[in-house]
Amino acid sequence: MDKYLSIITNFGCHYTCPYCIVKENNLRVPKTTIEGLDNVGRLAKENNCNWISISGGGDPLHNYNQNKDWYEQLFFLNQGKYKLELHTSYLFHSRIYGNFNRVVYHLIEPFDIKLVKRMNSEITRVVF
């Protein structure tokens, strides 16, 4: 049975998602830091998780170029130990999608589905 450890990132917000998990649930998500990854492996192991899911208090890929060192550290620490899932509304960050086992696209318009492309063998889901 699959069990997930969720990381809710806060790299900023583009304010275009049709549903805002942070606003709707009154979450206070601190700024995401590389140091915050220090305990992820231990927590996943202690809780028998086999998936690490990345979603956001703001899209996890917002300001990606300023935060790519966080993703590089995540991939370095993981080294294939856990399956990785990404929730995003961005369609054009193909260089990173191949590092995830599943990408869940949160699309604003139904016609955007034609822009979704698989990068490797990752599972691709689309939600509205």
Side-chain angles (χ1 to χ4, degrees), residues 68-80:
K68 63 183 173 184
D69 54 338
W70 185 89
Y71 285 96
E72 290 170 1
Q73 183 69 7
L74 171 70
F75 302 142
F76 173 76
L77 292 171
N78 185 50
Q79 295 185 7

Side-chain angles (χ1 to χ4, degrees), residues 13-31:
C13 187
H14 54 57
Y15 301 102
T16 61
C17 293
Y19 175 81
C20 180
I21 190 170
V22 173
K23 183 172 70 173
E24 298 297 325
N25 294 289
N26 199 27
L27 297 176
R28 302 284 182 241
V29 181
K31 179 79 172 137

Side-chain angles (χ1 to χ4, degrees), residues 43-117:
L43 290 169
K45 184 176 180 179
E46 286 175 2
N47 292 286
N48 297 313
C49 298
N50 58 328
W51 282 88
I52 296 175
S53 179
I54 311 299
S55 58
D59 195 291
L61 295 180
H62 187 67
N63 293 323
Y64 172 77
N65 288 332
Q66 291 85 10
N67 299 297
K68 63 183 173 184
D69 54 338
W70 185 89
Y71 285 96
E72 290 170 1
Q73 183 69 7
L74 171 70
F75 302 142
F76 173 76
L77 292 171
N78 185 50
Q79 295 185 7
K81 295 174 193 158
Y82 304 98
K83 293 179 181 177
L84 297 175
E85 174 183 71
L86 174 68
H87 289 256
T88 185
S89 60
Y90 283 96
L91 293 169
F92 306 107
H93 279 278
S94 61
R95 64 184 173 268
I96 191 173
Y97 296 151
N99 294 297
F100 290 90
N101 301 91
R102 177 176 21 223
V103 179
V104 180
Y105 295 97
H106 297 257
L107 302 181
I108 298 168
E109 299 293 335
F111 60 83
D112 285 341
I113 197 166
K114 66 183 172 205
L115 301 173
V116 173
K117 294 178 177 45

